Amino acid sequence: MSMLKDPSKKYRPFQPLALADRTWPDKTISAPPIWLSTDLRDGNQALIEPMDSARKMRFFNGLVQAGLKEIEVGFPAASQTEFDFIRELIEGQYIPDDVCIQVLTQARNDLIERTFASVKGAKQAIIHYYNACAPSFRRIVFQQDKAGVKAIAVNAAKQIKQLAEANPETHWRFEYSPEVFSSTETDFAVEVCNAVIDVFNPTADNRLILNLPATIECATPNHYADQIEWFCRHIKRRDSVIISVHTHNDRGTGVAASELAQMAGADRVEGCLFGNGERTGNVCLVTLALNLYTQGINPGLDFSDIDAVRKLVEDCNQLPVHPRHPYVGDLVHTAFSGSHQDAIRKGFAQQKADALWEVPYLPIDPADIGRSYEAVIRVNSQSGKGGIAFLLEQEYGISLPRRAQIEFSQVVQRETDRLGLELTAAQIYALLEQEYLAADAPYRLESHSLHEENGVCCVTLRVQEANLAGKPQSWTGEGHGPLEALVAALPVKAEVMDYNEHAIGSGTNAKAAAYVELRVAGGRSLYGIGIDENLTTASFRAVFSALNRDRQGSFALKKAA
């Protein structure tokens, strides 16, 4: 099977609306939308291994800390795990008073009843229900005509309203999604939504949410904006409804579609942090929020420590964030090209603290989101300078993680600036050894022992402290693994932000290299490197390397200061 010479025989082009008097192209976004995170539902459904309750709780708390006020916490009728997590949130009183949880259900009687049971006792909740309205779904999936599809939406609305009235202790809000809105006849979507409005009878003080999902992104984002504007013009009681959008990324334009939809009249945006979600992903809320920030608009979400947010998402989703992901990727605040590096350095040199941001190539000040600009010296078609990462890997088998490359490049850059020369592989390795492998003060690890029982790992360390010459100290700690136990034994509060390992060489002469990114007491993250025949010992040495670099004040910290 191969690509068709004439794809028009298999695929039909999208038929756009006739909207010659569209107004959205002349609009600008001047305020943030209402944000809804669907990480715990759509994002969770997209994972090979869905989150357990502990990871979902950690994620929920992170979303609250970032400033989300509406959070879709699950699809309670889908599994007992989902149901139990929602009960845990409510019964444990983990939901702040200013946060409204949302739950999703299909427009089916049994599922709606189960959904209401899951949120019983909540102070406030949004019941979000949906049914697909697009022609292909009507014909293929449901074998229903338009009247049948509309009746499904209306009957479910009546049941939801009755159940809400029977449970007045909760402040209920309602949301309806004509699923696959982007592929549905827009006039029919309006017809169905108007029928739902008649049931719920919303007011300007208690508005109904009408969510218009680009479940399948089927055209360029300007067409989606046309659909939103047409819908906003024709839906009745516009002041009593909130128009919400939920864009997917089938064509790679989910961010653009959400932004144009806001220009076309949308009030609310649903999405996930860093864009996880079914199939090709949901729109990235971080990108949308920081796009607003770079236009001088407070997005109402706090990403001041973007690396911590990324770590949370990566840990909970067990998925990496792409190194080129806007704002947060490992490489987005890095320049490889010499001309780019030069322009950025000159921009920083002229940038005044109280002036408008005008540094070339950088749309945002990395410091605003807890990042920094680093110029990584690499051998590529755009740079004639020595390739640190390339030389270390080729000559010594050292494969530095990307953020470690960025950090170490500062050490190398300092030396090349001092010498005014290119560095050889041997000189680069000597710098690595001096900066990381020989970082054994003020704490030198002399020996360690491990003991595991009932899933708990206990570690005992023999440590020589520089200020206590001749008097080794004994440190102990416990955790679910050796590294967690080691961190618990440290005399300062620390958190492992990243861990990587690989073998150097092969066979009986192989060694293990471990790389640990450690953040001590809420300070800046620093890498440590350990090399040893034993992997556990290598990882322990890496932790002590990072700890000692933090205590000494590494070059990176001196530069930052």
Side-chain angles (χ1 to χ4, degrees):
M1 188 106 181
S2 59
M3 292 182 68
L4 303 175
K5 299 294 184 183
D6 182 8
S8 66
K9 294 180 178 179
K10 187 173 184 178
Y11 302 99
R12 66 172 65 94
F14 178 81
Q15 296 301 311
L17 280 172
L19 192 65
D21 60 341
R22 62 181 61 84
T23 63
W24 63 261
D26 295 323
K27 303 289 180 62
T28 58
I29 303 173
S30 58
I34 301 166
W35 302 107
L36 174 109
S37 161
T38 188
D39 289 272
L40 301 180
R41 198 277 302 169
D42 204 337
N44 191 48
Q45 285 180 294
L47 300 177
I48 297 173
E49 180 184 337
M51 289 180 277
D52 58 19
S53 180
R55 280 156 62 195
K56 289 193 78 169
M57 184 64 73
R58 184 182 169 203
F59 209 144
F60 177 82
N61 290 331
L63 293 169
V64 170
Q65 186 174 357
L68 272 300
K69 301 303 181 185
E70 296 184 4
I71 302 172
E72 192 165 73
V73 292
F75 197 145
S79 74
Q80 190 64 42
T81 300
E82 293 280 283
F83 187 96
D84 291 343
F85 170 70
I86 295 166
R87 294 310 309 156
E88 181 183 0
L89 279 176
I90 295 169
E91 293 171 6
Q93 298 183 349
Y94 294 114
I95 307 167
D97 289 343
D98 62 345
V99 172
C100 185
I101 60 170
Q102 177 170 302
V103 285
L104 181 71
T105 179
Q106 291 173 309
R108 280 176 40 189
N109 292 354
D110 55 332
L111 302 185
I112 291 171
E113 289 180 359
R114 179 71 168 164
T115 301
F116 267 89
S118 75
V119 290
K120 186 175 180 60
K123 292 180 180 178
Q124 57 176 334
I126 300 171
I127 301 296
H128 178 195
Y129 82 103
Y130 71 95
N131 65 307
C133 297
S136 58
F137 282 76
R138 298 196 303 260
R139 185 180 69 256
I140 298 170
V141 181
F142 301 113
Q143 298 178 351
Q144 292 270 8
D145 58 12
K146 288 183 175 180
V149 167
K150 183 166 72 171
I152 292 172
V154 168
N155 292 335
K158 291 177 179 178
Q159 182 190 9
I160 289 169
K161 186 176 181 180
Q162 289 172 354
L163 289 171
E165 290 172 348
N167 295 273
E169 71 278 5
T170 297
H171 173 63
W172 299 105
R173 297 169 60 197
F174 309 111
E175 176 174 346
Y176 171 65
S177 289
E179 194 195 8
V180 208
F181 167 81
S182 51
S183 303
T184 300
E185 306 94 323
T186 312
D187 59 346
F188 179 57
V190 168
E191 180 183 337
V192 175
C193 289
N194 278 337
V196 169
I197 288 172
D198 288 339
V199 176
F200 285 114
N201 193 28
T203 66
D205 294 326
N206 191 21
R207 294 187 289 171
L208 171 67
I209 302 168
L210 295 176
N211 186 52
L212 309 177
T215 312
I216 304 163
E217 192 177 33
C218 55
T220 50
N222 58 300
H223 293 307
Y224 183 62
D226 282 350
Q227 291 175 314
I228 299 299
E229 180 167 338
W230 198 96
F231 185 97
C232 289
R233 289 186 192 181
H234 292 85
I235 195 70
K236 62 185 178 183
R237 299 171 69 171
R238 178 65 180 90
D239 63 342
S240 297
V241 296
I242 293 171
I243 303 300
S244 177
V245 292
H246 179 121
T247 58
H248 284 246
N249 209 37
D250 302 81
R251 296 170 59 94
T253 58
V255 167
S258 287
E259 290 181 329
L260 298 190
Q262 291 174 73
M263 292 160 61
D267 309 300
R268 182 177 185 261
V269 172
E270 299 189 355
C272 293
L273 302 186
F274 309 126
N276 183 41
E278 284 279 19
R279 306 185 330 279
T280 55
N282 285 189
V283 70
C284 173
L285 296 187
V286 174
T287 302
L288 285 174
L290 293 180
N291 283 354
L292 286 175
Y293 184 83
T294 63
Q295 300 300 301
I297 299 168
N298 186 338
L301 299 179
D302 186 2
F303 296 121
S304 298
D305 190 351
I306 198 69
D307 282 333
V309 177
R310 175 180 60 185
K311 183 177 185 295
L312 168 71
V313 176
E314 288 182 331
D315 287 352
C316 291
N317 285 343
Q318 298 295 294
L319 290 173
V321 173
H322 194 278
R324 296 293 183 193
H325 195 99
Y327 300 109
V328 72
D330 284 343
L331 301 179
V332 298
H333 302 296
T334 299
F336 295 97
S337 161
S339 62
H340 285 205
Q341 293 173 2
D342 181 63
I344 293 170
R345 277 195 293 267
K346 289 176 179 176
F348 271 111
Q350 296 182 30
Q351 182 68 36
K352 291 182 171 45
D354 57 350
L356 290 174
W357 182 253
E358 290 187 308
V359 175
Y361 295 115
L362 296 181
I364 192 172
D365 183 351
D368 287 357
I369 52 175
R371 299 290 300 274
S372 61
Y373 162 71
E374 308 295 354
V376 177
I377 306 169
R378 294 280 296 271
V379 171
N380 62 23
S381 62
Q382 301 299 314
S383 176
K385 297 185 178 180
I388 302 168
F390 177 81
L391 290 176
L392 285 175
E393 187 161 2
Q394 293 297 309
E395 299 293 331
Y396 296 95
I398 300 291
S399 182
L400 294 176
R402 292 189 186 277
R403 290 197 294 280
Q405 291 176 26
I406 294 170
E407 185 183 281
F408 182 50
S409 72
Q410 298 175 73
V411 179
V412 177
Q413 186 68 59
R414 176 187 60 174
E415 190 68 2
T416 57
D417 288 345
R418 185 180 71 84
L419 297 175
L421 300 170
E422 293 266 359
L423 296 184
T424 65
Q427 289 172 311
I428 291 172
Y429 184 79
L431 286 174
L432 182 89
E433 192 170 38
Q434 175 185 325
E435 182 72 19
Y436 296 94
L437 302 178
D440 61 356
Y443 304 115
R444 185 174 74 249
L445 176 62
E446 294 191 341
S447 64
H448 68 269
S449 62
L450 291 170
H451 175 68
E452 186 173 353
E453 186 174 351
N454 297 325
V456 177
C457 187
C458 302
V459 62
T460 301
L461 310 170
R462 182 180 172 85
V463 180
Q464 180 68 57
E465 294 190 39
N467 60 344
L468 296 173
K471 297 180 180 179
Q473 302 294 302
S474 180
W475 298 354
T476 60
E478 294 184 351
H480 293 298
L483 204 59
E484 185 177 320
L486 170 63
V487 172
L490 299 180
V492 294
K493 185 178 180 181
E495 179 182 9
V496 174
M497 303 296 289
D498 188 37
Y499 174 81
N500 291 269
E501 64 185 47
H502 65 79
I504 300 176
S506 60
T508 57
N509 295 322
K511 290 186 176 182
Y515 310 90
V516 171
E517 185 181 17
L518 195 72
R519 182 155 70 178
V520 178
R524 177 174 176 175
S525 297
L526 287 172
Y527 267 91
I529 302 176
I531 298 177
D532 196 86
E533 290 83 359
N534 181 277
L535 176 58
T536 300
T537 302
S539 65
F540 280 21
R541 291 188 185 282
V543 170
F544 271 81
S545 168
L547 175 64
N548 284 322
R549 292 183 68 232
D550 176 84
R551 299 294 88 177
Q552 293 170 0
S554 68
F555 168 72
L557 279 183
K558 289 176 183 176
K559 181 178 179 182

